Amino acid sequence: AGWFRRLLHKPKPSSVESLKSSHSASSSPSSSSSSSSAKSSTSSGMSLATSSISLSPVSAPDISASDSPRWDKSYDVCICHSEEDVQLVEELVSYLEGQPESFRCFIQLRDAVAGSAVVTELCDAVHNSHCWVMLITPGFLQDPWCRYQMHQALAEAPMANGRTIPVLKDVDRKDYPRELRNIYYIYMALKEKSFRQIRDTVMRYLQELCRSSTKRME
């Protein structure tokens, strides 16, 4: 009986303590839930942001746009080769001109103006082209006009900035022209692979040309 009377007269918790207690009891889970939700939302946001960054490709310049500096020159590629390699060169030109970018190629036997001086034509072709492919074969090494055109290209752009593209075929590495020793070359073992490498190198140069032009305008 005594303990029952004491229980009836036990003081009730104060209203403040009650509020604290009820707030603590009711808000804790929701707080944890909202915190968890916030974290989840943040995490989700970060995940989406990261995802969007990683999935969005770096936009490549449109080299075929009407205002592209590509059109400042008459040709994208000048092919320097010996007469012995005409058939291989025709295949390369057919490949490049058949690409979606429709690369404009200069080859002397097809594009030189009849009646004009050889030296004039070779110099104009070099000057009016963005890139120069040097098809270095045994015939190239023995042809003085090929070497002349190579020297003209090196004089036009002495630094290796992607414009001069040496392609070695049926030539030992030790016979690689000394004038080109500071420039990496493409070794033609598989024709299709080499054609693709030439295409990619020309494409890379033209895209970089467009980027540089855009930066200067900004």
Side-chain angles (χ1 to χ4, degrees), residues 78-147:
C78 173
I79 317 286
C80 179
H81 64 95
S82 74
E83 289 188 20
E84 297 174 12
D85 303 308
V86 170
Q87 185 176 347
L88 177 61
V89 170
E90 286 176 345
E91 289 180 46
L92 171 60
V93 168
S94 176
Y95 172 83
L96 292 174
E97 293 181 344
Q99 294 300 302
E101 299 78 19
S102 300
F103 293 111
R104 301 162 301 156
C105 300
F106 175 92
I107 49 175
Q108 188 179 354
L109 293 177
R110 182 190 69 179
D111 301 309
V113 177
S116 61
V118 174
V119 174
T120 303
E121 280 298 303
L122 293 180
C123 290
D124 284 349
V126 168
H127 180 70
N128 290 312
S129 299
H130 286 292
C131 298
W132 312 292
V133 171
M134 306 288 166
L135 184 57
I136 302 169
T137 62
F140 179 100
L141 296 176
Q142 294 168 10
D143 188 334
W145 288 114
C146 286
R147 298 194 74 92

Side-chain angles (χ1 to χ4, degrees), residues 77 107 147 178 184:
V77 194
I107 49 175
R147 298 194 74 92
R178 290 183 177 277
Y184 285 115

